[in-house]
Amino acid sequence: MVELFGQPTSESKLNWADIVSSQHCPYLDRKCLKNRKSEPEISIGTCTMKYGEGDVIICPFRLLERRQIFLDCMHLLTLHEPGNELHVVSEVEIPGGNVDYFLVSVSNGKVMDFVGIELQTLDTTGTVWPERQRFLHEKGIPVKQADIDSRKPFGMNWKMTAKTILVQLHHKLTTFEHLNKHLVLVIQDHLMAYMRREFSFDHVKDAKLGDSMHFHSYGLNPASLRLQLASRHSTDVVGMELCLGLQSEAKVDLEIILTKLQSKISEKTLLKI
């Protein structure tokens, strides 16, 4: 285990009893949302796991560190002007499903431009719970012996994670391209490398502002575990169809999304830097 409740497990001076008791997610600034199915009152808190030779992020909220991912999308707000407010609006429904976040440019309370942002980290197979409990046991925190002794493994569901998000993106991208707007997928560099290796990604080149679909991949600094932008690539609906061989979905009017964004912006959504 690399990070638990946003804290590096390599840090020996942390009070792990207090950290686990509070169940606080520093990226959401609230209780961790990753709950145990059999004990929903308990948050698992696992952000990043050691897997193979890499540190693999398994919680999408880990990507919210410093809110950097939103700043890295500002250039895609082509209608944004100095003086406009920036808002971050979560969970907006459009044809094809919900979009995790919208970065919105607002002038005098009116939406002027927006970028859709999806977060995707690796889904796991098996359970990371025994790894978590063994770590806490090593830190002197009482846990069940059965958890310590458990040899239930966990793995990374590379293929299903990648295919599922690419299919979902294609459904939503048709809407964004019709509106001449941008959709961004924020992922870790490990997942981006897998997609480029296992899917038809040769046509997905360095990012161009004119493309509707953008891929922002981030790495973790080995020493500090700080999130760092590693690469930017882009394509369009036709490019996504080359990846997956799917047909385009129905389009939606710009006014529908503008109305939904307008109703959600407030002081709470204001991006504070």
Side-chain angles (χ1 to χ4, degrees):
M1 182 175 301
V2 179
E3 292 177 305
L4 184 65
F5 291 109
Q7 305 299 327
T9 56
S10 59
E11 179 56 66
S12 59
K13 296 181 180 180
L14 294 175
N15 188 328
W16 284 104
D18 286 350
I19 292 171
V20 174
S21 176
S22 69
Q23 304 189 102
H24 184 260
C25 171
Y27 309 113
L28 292 174
D29 194 23
R30 55 159 295 171
K31 183 176 180 288
C32 171
L33 297 179
K34 188 184 291 185
N35 299 325
R36 222 184 162 208
K37 292 181 180 179
S38 59
E39 299 173 286
E41 73 281 2
I42 296 179
S43 296
I44 300 175
T46 48
C47 307
T48 309
M49 301 294 294
K50 177 70 70 176
Y51 192 78
E53 298 180 358
D55 298 336
V56 180
I57 298 173
I58 62 172
C59 177
F61 300 122
R62 173 63 180 85
L63 298 170
L64 297 177
E65 178 196 329
R66 309 186 326 275
R67 315 286 272 183
Q68 184 66 41
I69 61 171
F70 301 118
L71 297 178
D72 292 340
C73 291
M74 278 190 60
H75 67 290
L76 299 174
L77 289 170
T78 55
L79 300 180
H80 176 74
E81 294 184 356
N84 288 10
E85 293 179 343
L86 291 173
H87 289 252
V88 176
V89 180
S90 62
E91 292 295 322
V92 177
E93 184 180 1
I94 69 166
N98 284 359
V99 176
D100 292 334
Y101 295 95
F102 275 79
L103 178 63
V104 187
S105 176
V106 178
S107 177
N108 296 318
K110 182 179 180 181
V111 173
M112 305 304 294
D113 203 359
F114 60 83
V115 176
I117 303 170
E118 292 276 68
L119 311 184
Q120 183 63 56
T121 50
L122 262 296
D123 294 329
T124 57
T125 59
T127 175
V128 300
W129 183 255
E131 293 284 340
R132 174 196 194 271
Q133 297 302 84
R134 280 192 286 270
F135 166 75
L136 295 180
H137 174 68
E138 292 172 1
K139 297 300 179 181
I141 300 175
V143 298
K144 294 179 181 179
Q145 187 63 41
D147 291 334
I148 299 173
D149 296 337
S150 174
R151 290 296 175 261
K152 292 180 179 179
F154 76 91
M156 299 296 167
N157 201 350
W158 297 93
K159 183 175 182 179
M160 186 57 67
T161 299
K163 186 171 184 179
T164 299
I165 188 60
L166 289 175
V167 169
Q168 291 175 353
L169 286 171
H170 178 266
H171 292 331
K172 300 168 187 176
L173 183 59
T174 307
T175 294
F176 280 85
E177 187 158 306
H178 174 60
L179 303 176
N180 197 28
K181 301 298 181 183
H182 298 96
L183 179 61
V184 181
L185 175 64
V186 176
I187 54 178
Q188 193 179 4
D189 50 2
H190 297 311
L191 182 54
M192 187 68 202
Y194 176 86
M195 288 180 174
R196 295 194 68 86
R197 186 173 65 250
E198 299 296 329
F199 290 81
S200 299
F201 261 64
D202 289 344
H203 58 283
V204 180
K205 304 295 185 181
D206 291 342
K208 295 188 299 182
L209 190 61
D211 284 336
S212 53
M213 181 73 239
H214 287 250
F215 298 87
H216 288 186
S217 70
Y218 289 79
L220 285 176
N221 183 292
S224 65
L225 296 180
R226 188 181 178 92
L227 203 66
Q228 299 176 326
L229 183 63
S231 70
R232 295 187 298 116
H233 299 85
S234 68
T235 187
D236 54 16
V237 166
V238 174
M240 292 298 288
E241 289 172 355
L242 288 175
C243 290
L244 295 168
L246 299 175
Q247 297 299 315
S248 296
E249 295 294 313
K251 297 175 173 59
V252 65
D253 289 334
L254 175 62
E255 193 62 33
I256 295 175
I257 296 181
L258 288 177
T259 300
K260 290 182 178 180
L261 289 174
Q262 200 81 45
S263 67
K264 289 200 170 197
I265 59 173
S266 67
E267 283 298 315
K268 291 183 178 180
T269 63
L270 183 64
L271 179 60
K272 298 176 181 178
I273 305 172

mmCIF file of all heavy atoms in Angstrom, residues 138-167:
data_model
loop_
_atom_site.group_PDB
_atom_site.id
_atom_site.type_symbol
_atom_site.label_atom_id
_atom_site.label_comp_id
_atom_site.label_asym_id
_atom_site.label_seq_id
_atom_site.Cartn_x
_atom_site.Cartn_y
_atom_site.Cartn_z
ATOM 1 N N GLU A 138 0.869 -3.397 11.479
ATOM 2 C CA GLU A 138 2.290 -3.052 11.598
ATOM 3 C C GLU A 138 2.481 -1.725 12.331
ATOM 4 O O GLU A 138 3.527 -1.503 12.958
ATOM 5 C CB GLU A 138 2.922 -2.965 10.210
ATOM 6 C CG GLU A 138 3.011 -4.305 9.483
ATOM 7 C CD GLU A 138 3.453 -4.143 8.043
ATOM 8 O OE1 GLU A 138 3.699 -2.965 7.627
ATOM 9 O OE2 GLU A 138 3.569 -5.150 7.337
ATOM 10 N N LYS A 139 1.486 -0.854 12.279
ATOM 11 C CA LYS A 139 1.562 0.439 12.948
ATOM 12 C C LYS A 139 1.007 0.380 14.372
ATOM 13 O O LYS A 139 0.856 1.418 15.029
ATOM 14 C CB LYS A 139 0.793 1.501 12.144
ATOM 15 C CG LYS A 139 1.376 1.751 10.755
ATOM 16 C CD LYS A 139 2.809 2.219 10.832
ATOM 17 C CE LYS A 139 3.423 2.440 9.461
ATOM 18 N NZ LYS A 139 4.838 2.881 9.540
ATOM 19 N N GLY A 140 0.712 -0.826 14.833
ATOM 20 C CA GLY A 140 0.261 -1.005 16.208
ATOM 21 C C GLY A 140 -1.211 -0.762 16.441
ATOM 22 O O GLY A 140 -1.651 -0.614 17.586
ATOM 23 N N ILE A 141 -2.002 -0.736 15.379
ATOM 24 C CA ILE A 141 -3.443 -0.525 15.508
ATOM 25 C C ILE A 141 -4.143 -1.874 15.520
ATOM 26 O O ILE A 141 -3.919 -2.701 14.634
ATOM 27 C CB ILE A 141 -3.964 0.344 14.347
ATOM 28 C CG1 ILE A 141 -3.261 1.707 14.370
ATOM 29 C CG2 ILE A 141 -5.480 0.512 14.420
ATOM 30 C CD1 ILE A 141 -3.598 2.597 13.198
ATOM 31 N N PRO A 142 -4.984 -2.139 16.520
ATOM 32 C CA PRO A 142 -5.650 -3.446 16.628
ATOM 33 C C PRO A 142 -6.563 -3.717 15.431
ATOM 34 O O PRO A 142 -7.384 -2.877 15.057
ATOM 35 C CB PRO A 142 -6.471 -3.326 17.916
ATOM 36 C CG PRO A 142 -5.839 -2.204 18.677
ATOM 37 C CD PRO A 142 -5.320 -1.253 17.654
ATOM 38 N N VAL A 143 -6.418 -4.884 14.818
ATOM 39 C CA VAL A 143 -7.281 -5.330 13.727
ATOM 40 C C VAL A 143 -7.577 -6.802 13.937
ATOM 41 O O VAL A 143 -6.931 -7.478 14.752
ATOM 42 C CB VAL A 143 -6.617 -5.114 12.338
ATOM 43 C CG1 VAL A 143 -6.356 -3.634 12.087
ATOM 44 C CG2 VAL A 143 -5.325 -5.901 12.233
ATOM 45 N N LYS A 144 -8.543 -7.313 13.203
ATOM 46 C CA LYS A 144 -8.918 -8.724 13.341
ATOM 47 C C LYS A 144 -7.795 -9.626 12.826
ATOM 48 O O LYS A 144 -7.207 -9.364 11.770
ATOM 49 C CB LYS A 144 -10.207 -9.003 12.573
ATOM 50 C CG LYS A 144 -11.427 -8.285 13.133
ATOM 51 C CD LYS A 144 -12.665 -8.588 12.304
ATOM 52 C CE LYS A 144 -13.886 -7.858 12.846
ATOM 53 N NZ LYS A 144 -15.087 -8.131 12.017
ATOM 54 N N GLN A 145 -7.528 -10.690 13.571
ATOM 55 C CA GLN A 145 -6.481 -11.625 13.169
ATOM 56 C C GLN A 145 -6.797 -12.265 11.826
ATOM 57 O O GLN A 145 -5.893 -12.545 11.027
ATOM 58 C CB GLN A 145 -6.311 -12.715 14.239
ATOM 59 C CG GLN A 145 -5.131 -13.640 14.014
ATOM 60 C CD GLN A 145 -3.797 -12.915 14.061
ATOM 61 O OE1 GLN A 145 -3.589 -12.043 14.904
ATOM 62 N NE2 GLN A 145 -2.897 -13.262 13.153
ATOM 63 N N ALA A 146 -8.094 -12.484 11.563
ATOM 64 C CA ALA A 146 -8.500 -13.106 10.296
ATOM 65 C C ALA A 146 -8.098 -12.241 9.111
ATOM 66 O O ALA A 146 -7.726 -12.756 8.048
ATOM 67 C CB ALA A 146 -10.010 -13.339 10.280
ATOM 68 N N ASP A 147 -8.140 -10.921 9.290
ATOM 69 C CA ASP A 147 -7.719 -10.017 8.215
ATOM 70 C C ASP A 147 -6.213 -10.081 8.009
ATOM 71 O O ASP A 147 -5.727 -10.028 6.874
ATOM 72 C CB ASP A 147 -8.139 -8.582 8.539
ATOM 73 C CG ASP A 147 -9.642 -8.384 8.485
ATOM 74 O OD1 ASP A 147 -10.309 -9.142 7.747
ATOM 75 O OD2 ASP A 147 -10.146 -7.478 9.171
ATOM 76 N N ILE A 148 -5.480 -10.194 9.098
ATOM 77 C CA ILE A 148 -4.021 -10.296 9.006
ATOM 78 C C ILE A 148 -3.621 -11.578 8.286
ATOM 79 O O ILE A 148 -2.706 -11.596 7.450
ATOM 80 C CB ILE A 148 -3.391 -10.262 10.409
ATOM 81 C CG1 ILE A 148 -3.717 -8.947 11.118
ATOM 82 C CG2 ILE A 148 -1.878 -10.466 10.326
ATOM 83 C CD1 ILE A 148 -3.276 -8.905 12.558
ATOM 84 N N ASP A 149 -4.319 -12.660 8.599
ATOM 85 C CA ASP A 149 -3.979 -13.971 8.037
ATOM 86 C C ASP A 149 -4.513 -14.175 6.624
ATOM 87 O O ASP A 149 -4.066 -15.085 5.916
ATOM 88 C CB ASP A 149 -4.528 -15.081 8.938
ATOM 89 C CG ASP A 149 -3.890 -15.074 10.326
ATOM 90 O OD1 ASP A 149 -2.766 -14.536 10.443
ATOM 91 O OD2 ASP A 149 -4.512 -15.583 11.269
ATOM 92 N N SER A 150 -5.471 -13.341 6.217
ATOM 93 C CA SER A 150 -6.100 -13.531 4.908
ATOM 94 C C SER A 150 -5.080 -13.430 3.777
ATOM 95 O O SER A 150 -4.212 -12.564 3.779
ATOM 96 C CB SER A 150 -7.192 -12.478 4.702
ATOM 97 O OG SER A 150 -7.720 -12.565 3.394
ATOM 98 N N ARG A 151 -5.219 -14.330 2.845
ATOM 99 C CA ARG A 151 -4.354 -14.302 1.654
ATOM 100 C C ARG A 151 -5.162 -14.023 0.387
ATOM 101 O O ARG A 151 -4.746 -14.346 -0.714
ATOM 102 C CB ARG A 151 -3.592 -15.632 1.539
ATOM 103 C CG ARG A 151 -2.525 -15.795 2.616
ATOM 104 C CD ARG A 151 -1.442 -14.718 2.451
ATOM 105 N NE ARG A 151 -0.448 -14.735 3.527
ATOM 106 C CZ ARG A 151 -0.467 -13.916 4.563
ATOM 107 N NH1 ARG A 151 -1.439 -13.020 4.675
ATOM 108 N NH2 ARG A 151 0.468 -13.972 5.495
ATOM 109 N N LYS A 152 -6.337 -13.412 0.574
ATOM 110 C CA LYS A 152 -7.138 -13.034 -0.581
ATOM 111 C C LYS A 152 -6.374 -12.007 -1.401
ATOM 112 O O LYS A 152 -5.949 -10.980 -0.870
ATOM 113 C CB LYS A 152 -8.485 -12.450 -0.139
ATOM 114 C CG LYS A 152 -9.414 -13.462 0.517
ATOM 115 C CD LYS A 152 -10.727 -12.809 0.917
ATOM 116 C CE LYS A 152 -11.668 -13.814 1.561
ATOM 117 N NZ LYS A 152 -12.952 -13.178 1.983
ATOM 118 N N PRO A 153 -6.182 -12.254 -2.687
ATOM 119 C CA PRO A 153 -5.366 -11.349 -3.504
ATOM 120 C C PRO A 153 -6.194 -10.196 -4.075
ATOM 121 O O PRO A 153 -7.422 -10.187 -4.015
ATOM 122 C CB PRO A 153 -4.879 -12.259 -4.623
ATOM 123 C CG PRO A 153 -6.016 -13.216 -4.818
ATOM 124 C CD PRO A 153 -6.615 -13.440 -3.436
ATOM 125 N N PHE A 154 -5.498 -9.219 -4.616
ATOM 126 C CA PHE A 154 -6.158 -8.177 -5.393
ATOM 127 C C PHE A 154 -5.372 -8.000 -6.688
ATOM 128 O O PHE A 154 -4.196 -8.359 -6.785
ATOM 129 C CB PHE A 154 -6.231 -6.857 -4.619
ATOM 130 C CG PHE A 154 -4.929 -6.096 -4.549
ATOM 131 C CD1 PHE A 154 -4.611 -5.148 -5.509
ATOM 132 C CD2 PHE A 154 -4.023 -6.334 -3.527
ATOM 133 C CE1 PHE A 154 -3.413 -4.457 -5.448
ATOM 134 C CE2 PHE A 154 -2.825 -5.650 -3.463
ATOM 135 C CZ PHE A 154 -2.518 -4.705 -4.418
ATOM 136 N N GLY A 155 -6.049 -7.488 -7.686
ATOM 137 C CA GLY A 155 -5.399 -7.235 -8.969
ATOM 138 C C GLY A 155 -5.963 -5.987 -9.597
ATOM 139 O O GLY A 155 -6.849 -5.330 -9.040
ATOM 140 N N MET A 156 -5.455 -5.634 -10.771
ATOM 141 C CA MET A 156 -5.923 -4.466 -11.502
ATOM 142 C C MET A 156 -6.686 -4.912 -12.746
ATOM 143 O O MET A 156 -6.178 -5.727 -13.527
ATOM 144 C CB MET A 156 -4.742 -3.575 -11.922
ATOM 145 C CG MET A 156 -3.938 -3.035 -10.749
ATOM 146 S SD MET A 156 -4.907 -1.926 -9.711
ATOM 147 C CE MET A 156 -3.830 -1.804 -8.267
ATOM 148 N N ASN A 157 -7.889 -4.400 -12.901
ATOM 149 C CA ASN A 157 -8.753 -4.800 -14.006
ATOM 150 C C ASN A 157 -8.501 -3.881 -15.208
ATOM 151 O O ASN A 157 -9.345 -3.062 -15.591
ATOM 152 C CB ASN A 157 -10.220 -4.736 -13.562
ATOM 153 C CG ASN A 157 -11.109 -5.595 -14.426
ATOM 154 O OD1 ASN A 157 -10.694 -6.106 -15.460
ATOM 155 N ND2 ASN A 157 -12.342 -5.759 -14.002
ATOM 156 N N TRP A 158 -7.323 -4.024 -15.810
ATOM 157 C CA TRP A 158 -6.895 -3.126 -16.879
ATOM 158 C C TRP A 158 -7.863 -3.104 -18.056
ATOM 159 O O TRP A 158 -8.304 -2.039 -18.500
ATOM 160 C CB TRP A 158 -5.510 -3.540 -17.389
ATOM 161 C CG TRP A 158 -4.431 -3.452 -16.377
ATOM 162 C CD1 TRP A 158 -3.994 -4.445 -15.544
ATOM 163 C CD2 TRP A 158 -3.641 -2.295 -16.053
ATOM 164 N NE1 TRP A 158 -2.976 -3.987 -14.742
ATOM 165 C CE2 TRP A 158 -2.742 -2.672 -15.037
ATOM 166 C CE3 TRP A 158 -3.610 -0.996 -16.548
ATOM 167 C CZ2 TRP A 158 -1.812 -1.785 -14.493
ATOM 168 C CZ3 TRP A 158 -2.687 -0.101 -16.020
ATOM 169 C CH2 TRP A 158 -1.807 -0.492 -15.002
ATOM 170 N N LYS A 159 -8.199 -4.279 -18.576
ATOM 171 C CA LYS A 159 -8.981 -4.350 -19.807
ATOM 172 C C LYS A 159 -10.383 -3.787 -19.628
ATOM 173 O O LYS A 159 -10.846 -2.968 -20.435
ATOM 174 C CB LYS A 159 -9.062 -5.803 -20.289
ATOM 175 C CG LYS A 159 -9.791 -5.954 -21.617
ATOM 176 C CD LYS A 159 -9.749 -7.392 -22.110
ATOM 177 C CE LYS A 159 -10.439 -7.519 -23.463
ATOM 178 N NZ LYS A 159 -10.390 -8.921 -23.961
ATOM 179 N N MET A 160 -11.072 -4.194 -18.572
ATOM 180 C CA MET A 160 -12.440 -3.725 -18.371
ATOM 181 C C MET A 160 -12.478 -2.234 -18.057
ATOM 182 O O MET A 160 -13.363 -1.510 -18.533
ATOM 183 C CB MET A 160 -13.108 -4.514 -17.239
ATOM 184 C CG MET A 160 -14.590 -4.196 -17.068
ATOM 185 S SD MET A 160 -15.555 -4.488 -18.574
ATOM 186 C CE MET A 160 -15.418 -6.278 -18.709
ATOM 187 N N THR A 161 -11.523 -1.756 -17.266
ATOM 188 C CA THR A 161 -11.463 -0.325 -16.950
ATOM 189 C C THR A 161 -11.309 0.495 -18.220
ATOM 190 O O THR A 161 -12.040 1.464 -18.449
ATOM 191 C CB THR A 161 -10.296 -0.025 -15.998
ATOM 192 O OG1 THR A 161 -10.477 -0.744 -14.773
ATOM 193 C CG2 THR A 161 -10.212 1.463 -15.701
ATOM 194 N N ALA A 162 -10.355 0.123 -19.045
ATOM 195 C CA ALA A 162 -10.072 0.884 -20.262
ATOM 196 C C ALA A 162 -11.239 0.829 -21.243
ATOM 197 O O ALA A 162 -11.665 1.860 -21.776
ATOM 198 C CB ALA A 162 -8.804 0.348 -20.917
ATOM 199 N N LYS A 163 -11.761 -0.353 -21.489
ATOM 200 C CA LYS A 163 -12.838 -0.487 -22.480
ATOM 201 C C LYS A 163 -14.095 0.237 -22.024
ATOM 202 O O LYS A 163 -14.754 0.928 -22.829
ATOM 203 C CB LYS A 163 -13.142 -1.960 -22.733
ATOM 204 C CG LYS A 163 -14.143 -2.165 -23.862
ATOM 205 C CD LYS A 163 -14.274 -3.624 -24.244
ATOM 206 C CE LYS A 163 -15.203 -3.792 -25.431
ATOM 207 N NZ LYS A 163 -15.344 -5.213 -25.840
ATOM 208 N N THR A 164 -14.438 0.120 -20.760
ATOM 209 C CA THR A 164 -15.654 0.752 -20.252
ATOM 210 C C THR A 164 -15.592 2.264 -20.398
ATOM 211 O O THR A 164 -16.532 2.901 -20.875
ATOM 212 C CB THR A 164 -15.883 0.382 -18.779
ATOM 213 O OG1 THR A 164 -16.048 -1.042 -18.665
ATOM 214 C CG2 THR A 164 -17.137 1.061 -18.238
ATOM 215 N N ILE A 165 -14.471 2.875 -19.999
ATOM 216 C CA ILE A 165 -14.390 4.328 -20.060
ATOM 217 C C ILE A 165 -14.340 4.814 -21.509
ATOM 218 O O ILE A 165 -14.930 5.847 -21.843
ATOM 219 C CB ILE A 165 -13.182 4.864 -19.250
ATOM 220 C CG1 ILE A 165 -13.238 6.396 -19.168
ATOM 221 C CG2 ILE A 165 -11.863 4.420 -19.859
ATOM 222 C CD1 ILE A 165 -14.468 6.952 -18.507
ATOM 223 N N LEU A 166 -13.689 4.079 -22.403
ATOM 224 C CA LEU A 166 -13.635 4.506 -23.799
ATOM 225 C C LEU A 166 -15.014 4.458 -24.453
ATOM 226 O O LEU A 166 -15.377 5.345 -25.225
ATOM 227 C CB LEU A 166 -12.643 3.644 -24.577
ATOM 228 C CG LEU A 166 -11.163 3.874 -24.245
ATOM 229 C CD1 LEU A 166 -10.288 2.878 -24.989
ATOM 230 C CD2 LEU A 166 -10.743 5.302 -24.579
ATOM 231 N N VAL A 167 -15.789 3.430 -24.140
ATOM 232 C CA VAL A 167 -17.152 3.339 -24.673
ATOM 233 C C VAL A 167 -18.001 4.494 -24.136
ATOM 234 O O VAL A 167 -18.742 5.149 -24.880
ATOM 235 C CB VAL A 167 -17.788 1.982 -24.317
ATOM 236 C CG1 VAL A 167 -19.279 1.982 -24.639
ATOM 237 C CG2 VAL A 167 -17.094 0.855 -25.077
#
